[in-house]
Amino acid sequence: MIGIFGGTFDPVHLGHLRPALDVFEALALEELRFLPLGQAVHRPPPRFSAGLRLRMLEAAVADQPGFMVDRREIDSTEPSWTVVTLASLRAELGERTPFCLLLGRDAFAAFHTWREPRRILEMAHLVVMERPGEALFLEAPLEALVEGRITAEPADLARAPAGRVLFQPVTQLRISSTDIRRRLEQGRSLRWLVPEAVERLLPRFQDDRPLPD
Ligand code: ATP
């Protein structure tokens, strides 16, 4: 099975990478694709340019077998809707190949507000990584959306191409890109919060701004 981990990665940090590795191992994934956001539709534009976010991600995953970076959103000039990205992956991987979308609990809590969530569930499984400090409260529309789909068994995901929701406990690391950006602005150390390769890249690019549209 293939895993897709979408995010802004502004910048990527160990709170993305270690939980992603936990999922990779627990589900025995063949491949885990990190998919950095291209044109933001839900949130303000990232602090760092697409080029630098991509470079940092590539540096972060370079020595982990099975991890790779998928640049389709970055290379596209269209707004990055997950449903559109998944349709393009489906077209490439075929109808029957199971794949799962990894997301943190905070992202999952708003899943029902995404564009065409039902269609997303027709194309992919969801793997919700337990994130520290966030109690799970499912709003009624989200509960309705996932009803009958939840499983505790990773093997269930390999049996169907899409449509199941798995809650996967992962290493709890209270690290966020927001905090990393704040530390960077204050000239503080990023050591042991981001991979060394990312730590080496970041300070030199403090003035990096998103590329104009
Ligand atoms: P920001 O602070 O800018 O909002 P972020 O640290 O949440 O950024 P994103 O790139 O927005 O990072 O997140 C991508 C995905 O990774 C989301 O699904 C998010 O829930 C998940 N994620 C981010 N940080 C963690 C963490 N420490 N543990 C588990 N999941 C995380």
Side-chain angles (χ1 to χ4, degrees):
M1 186 162 48
I2 293 173
I4 313 292
F5 188 9
T8 314
F9 302 116
D10 188 31
V12 62
H13 52 70
L14 298 183
H16 295 124
L17 294 162
R18 181 63 233 188
L21 185 56
D22 290 335
V23 172
F24 183 75
E25 288 182 337
L27 275 64
L29 297 179
E30 290 149 51
E31 182 177 304
L32 181 52
R33 298 191 189 189
F34 288 75
L35 213 151
L37 175 88
Q39 313 290 322
V41 280
H42 277 304
R43 47 158 82 207
R47 163 73 170 78
F48 295 107
S49 67
L52 180 56
R53 287 183 294 115
L54 187 67
R55 230 174 116 187
M56 290 189 287
L57 255 185
E58 281 172 346
V61 305
D63 61 357
Q64 173 56 45
F67 278 23
M68 60 198 67
V69 180
D70 187 314
R71 47 185 296 162
R72 75 189 61 216
E73 285 193 1
I74 297 264
D75 288 343
S76 165
T77 51
E78 302 296 314
S80 298
W81 296 102
T82 301
V83 68
V84 175
T85 302
L86 291 182
S88 111
L89 280 158
R90 258 287 157 238
E92 202 177 288
L93 300 170
E95 288 302 308
R96 303 302 312 159
T97 309
F99 65 74
C100 57
L101 190 64
L102 276 60
L103 65 180
R105 262 204 177 184
D106 58 331
F108 173 69
F111 177 68
H112 58 289
T113 68
W114 293 17
R115 186 173 148 189
E116 298 185 69
R118 280 188 196 282
R119 211 172 137 228
I120 291 177
L121 282 165
E122 282 165 19
M123 292 191 282
H125 298 298
L126 298 188
V127 176
V128 183
M129 299 180 290
E130 306 274 6
R131 194 174 187 178
E134 274 148 33
L136 182 63
F137 166 72
L138 296 192
E139 285 188 42
L142 180 56
E143 213 170 321
L145 206 53
V146 301
E147 202 197 330
R149 298 181 182 275
I150 295 176
T151 176
E153 192 43 68
D156 282 346
L157 270 50
R159 291 194 197 106
R164 307 303 301 265
V165 178
L166 176 80
F167 291 88
Q168 179 63 43
V170 294
T171 308
Q172 309 281 283
L173 295 169
R174 194 185 284 272
I175 304 174
S176 71
S177 299
T178 304
D179 179 56
I180 305 277
R181 293 193 299 272
R182 195 176 306 126
R183 285 171 197 261
L184 199 59
E185 303 258 314
Q186 295 168 349
R188 291 161 66 196
S189 171
L190 301 182
R191 196 166 196 195
W192 300 315
L193 295 172
V194 299
E196 278 177 33
V198 172
E199 195 190 347
R200 279 195 295 273
L201 277 171
L202 264 175
R204 288 194 279 134
F205 290 92
Q206 278 208 56
D207 293 329
D208 179 270
R209 291 284 161 189
L211 298 172
D213 289 336

